[in-house]
Amino acid sequence: MSKETEPDGGNPSCAAVIVAAGKGVRAGGATPKQFRHLAGRSVLQRSVDAFARHTGISELVVVLPEDQISGLGLQAGDRPLQVVAGGATRAASVEAGLRALAFNPPDLVLIHDGARPLVTSRVISEVIDALSSHPAAAPGLPVTDSLWQGSDAQITGLRNRDGLFRAQTPQGFHYDAILDAHRHGDKSATDDIALALSAGLTPAIVAGDEANLKITGPDDFRRAEQILSTRMTPRIGTGFDVHAFGPGDHVTLCGIDLPHDRGLSGHSDADVAMHALTDAIYGALAAGDIGRWFPPSDPQWKGAASDIFLAHAVELAAENGFGIGNADLTIICEYPKIGPHADAMRARLADIMGCDIDRVSVKATTSERLGFTGRGEGIAAQASVLLEAS
Ligand code: CTP
Ligand code: MG
């Protein structure tokens, strides 16, 4: 499962310009390809969603045909969204999108084809990351088939494929440089990397993704639907954690402080239940565990409230296209008694995860005075979570 967002902030601002002002002639059909539906959502809305849920993107511009700029009902979550009219060529459409950002320019901009609805957060993150050390960056796939020269259905020669790549989007740039390249560049350029090269920039290539196809011909809808059906399979994860009792007058479980004659020891607030739940979400995403994202060796997490960890895991899930289906948590201890506080815990967890309380279960069991929990040496918790494609 892809995902690269780091929990710390301080990144440069990065806008996304999504171009969707083409006619989609090759795809055929009465409606241009970007407005047709793929598994219940338009191709363009899916492209917009990939950027609107990525934590590295601060605002979006969507470039549409002049006669479509109102009434499409595009959604960009909590990110500012501008909609502007495009031009006769892709380059003209991109330039219109870039100009819409000029009033309050971002540091970086990613330019994406609205006809590539399956772009992943991994690809978006890698392009953004590469821009910290390069003036431009884009995903590419090495050419693996042999290349022929041909005419009249006959092979007339061979081409060397070494060093050749298939270009994808998003293509990322420092905003000022790409706006300048568009203002002075060749209006017939087929993509923005071409303009960056003519402006003397050396773009980096990041790993592309076979699934990040550009819907071009009629068959591409079927291919995209196949890829989507695999991605929409729900994900399941489990988590388990233990903290020992230590000195203190309360324990924090699911974000709720319960008076107790001892506390729980640990690097953060030692909320063993929230840690198990957080690890279940990371597990469902195959994204490691809390220790990978918030290393205990890092002093900034000392005494930290564990809702930071849970919120990060939920954000990571959203970035990968998943929301909380349901979560079920079991706390294992003799004392304190959990039952009277279970609903408050469910409400707190639902609040952090941004889901309905009906999707969150908190229950407890003793271990019949057996083992370390039975002897009152600590508290254990286990969690299961189901993530649903959102
Ligand atoms: N695009 C655009 N403005 C144009 C031409 C293209 O915004 N004047 C956009 C398309 O909407 C698409 C992306 O650029 O998201 C890539 O272009 P392409 O795949 O060629 O789309 P179309 O031009 O719409 O398709 P066709 O060439 O088959 O007509
Ligand atoms: Mg075209």
Side-chain angles (χ1 to χ4, degrees), residues 81-99:
L81 168 69
Q82 292 188 70
V83 172
V84 300
T89 62
R90 186 184 181 282
S93 295
V94 172
E95 191 177 343
L98 292 173
R99 284 180 188 276

Side-chain angles (χ1 to χ4, degrees), residues 167-386:
Q168 297 191 327
T169 72
Q171 301 183 346
F173 308 90
H174 294 253
Y175 174 75
D176 293 339
I178 195 64
L179 180 59
D180 207 50
H182 266 275
R183 279 191 175 131
H184 303 111
D186 175 3
K187 303 292 178 222
S188 64
T190 55
D191 71 4
D192 308 287
I193 289 293
L195 285 165
L197 286 170
S198 355
L201 307 177
T202 307
I205 305 174
V206 307
D209 179 1
E210 284 293 349
N212 182 20
L213 77 165
K214 179 162 70 75
I215 294 194
T216 304
D219 282 353
D220 291 331
F221 280 91
R222 198 173 31 80
R223 278 177 66 205
E225 258 156 23
Q226 272 166 2
I227 295 166
L228 259 179
S229 69
T230 324
R231 278 199 197 159
M232 286 168 76
T233 307
R235 309 278 304 205
I236 200 163
T238 66
F240 178 74
D241 197 22
V242 172
H243 280 266
F245 283 122
D249 59 5
H250 72 279
V251 296
T252 305
L253 293 171
C254 302
I256 305 290
D257 289 345
L258 306 189
H260 194 54
D261 56 1
R262 281 170 294 174
L264 287 171
S265 40
H267 193 69
S268 63
D269 63 4
D271 189 334
V272 59
M274 207 180 289
H275 294 178
L277 178 56
T278 304
D279 270 352
I281 298 173
Y282 286 133
L285 296 168
D289 58 16
I290 296 183
R292 168 176 155 195
W293 295 98
F294 301 90
S297 52
D298 187 336
Q300 69 172 307
W301 311 123
K302 188 166 173 48
S306 296
D307 56 352
I308 301 171
F309 312 152
L310 180 58
H312 176 260
V314 171
E315 190 178 281
L316 189 57
E319 224 174 87
N320 284 287
F322 290 98
I324 301 295
N326 73 298
D328 182 20
L329 192 60
T330 304
I331 300 170
I332 306 156
C333 62
E334 304 292 329
Y335 294 101
K337 287 296 166 203
I338 304 300
H341 308 282
D343 282 344
M345 293 176 175
R346 293 172 62 216
R348 179 81 187 106
L349 295 176
D351 188 43
I352 299 166
M353 295 194 288
C355 70
D356 200 283
I357 190 170
D358 290 348
R359 292 172 181 258
V360 185
S361 150
V362 174
K363 58 198 191 310
T365 183
T366 71
S367 53
E368 300 290 341
R369 301 198 171 272
L370 297 172
F372 69 89
T373 52
R375 292 189 296 272
E377 294 167 6
I379 299 183
Q382 63 183 36
S384 302
V385 74
L386 183 84

Side-chain angles (χ1 to χ4, degrees), residues 22-26 33 90 214:
K23 293 191 163 54
V25 172
R26 285 168 291 176
K33 60 189 181 184
R90 186 184 181 282
K214 179 162 70 75

